[in-house]
Amino acid sequence: MMKIFSLVFVSAGLLLPSLETLAKECGFNITGNDQLQFDKKEIRVPKDCDTIKVTVINVGKMPLMVMGHNWVLTKSADWNAVAAELGKAIPPSAKYIPKDKRVIAATSFVGGSPGEPKEASVTIKRKSLKESESYHFFCSFPGHFAVMNGAFVLEK
Ligand code: ZN
């Protein structure tokens, strides 16, 4: 009996750390406020993050229709054109997620009024990105991207 228990214990002990290593998730929070500001101009992803979860949080008080924020990721080469394109999508809603082919990841919009979603997340597999590529994030609410944007850096 003792032998069986210790065998189970040993194999569980061997398995758990390797599973954890296989799927390390790194979370990043970014807030947007009523002054058109993200609290980060850059997100740096450590090399050992297999899964990257980005959560955008609206810390403002203004309604989504007026001052909504989302988080959209594209290649740096694409971001300006995509941001301008997505900025035409009016009115933004809590359910809207940009569908442009050049969009790598995007959250829905978050608002500041009571009852509106304050947080939205998106998960990205690191292996779907390239270290040699340059990435950029922005808010696609009409008119926001010029100020609300930043670099998304995969650390090597
Ligand atoms: Zn915004």
Side-chain angles (χ1 to χ4, degrees):
M1 247 348 222
M2 283 303 282
K3 232 179 205 167
I4 293 165
F5 278 130
S6 56
L7 270 175
V8 168
F9 183 75
V10 167
S11 35
L14 286 172
L15 264 174
L16 286 175
S18 60
L19 283 175
E20 208 176 352
T21 311
L22 277 174
K24 177 164 179 186
E25 181 176 290
C26 301
F28 300 89
N29 288 347
I30 183 164
T31 66
N33 63 20
D34 287 344
Q35 286 76 46
L36 279 184
Q37 300 290 329
F38 276 142
D39 69 335
K40 292 181 176 71
K41 274 300 197 183
E42 184 179 73
I43 292 177
R44 299 190 70 87
V45 180
K47 184 154 182 76
D48 63 347
C49 302
D50 299 298
T51 305
I52 303 152
K53 184 180 181 185
V54 178
T55 301
V56 60
I57 304 160
N58 194 326
V59 293
K61 298 238 183 298
M62 291 168 76
L64 194 152
M65 290 285 287
V66 180
M67 188 58 73
H69 304 300
N70 67 354
W71 188 89
V72 182
L73 183 71
T74 66
K75 290 178 182 175
S76 296
D78 292 336
W79 89 267
N80 234 293
V82 176
E85 186 69 29
L86 296 180
K88 294 176 191 162
I90 299 172
S93 80
K95 290 196 178 108
Y96 169 80
I97 296 178
K99 288 286 185 279
D100 191 287
K101 259 189 227 160
R102 295 163 292 180
V103 170
I104 295 163
T107 70
S108 52
F109 280 102
V110 290
S113 277
E116 289 179 334
K118 298 274 179 296
E119 291 188 20
S121 299
V122 66
T123 301
I124 307 156
K125 296 276 180 219
R126 181 173 172 128
K127 64 182 177 201
S128 70
L129 305 172
K130 291 191 189 119
E131 272 183 7
S132 56
E133 188 61 68
S134 170
Y135 299 96
H136 210 78
F137 66 81
F138 58 91
C139 171
S140 78
F141 192 98
H144 288 197
F145 71 91
V147 184
M148 301 186 79
N149 73 83
F152 185 84
V153 180
L154 294 175
E155 290 183 346
K156 290 173 190 171

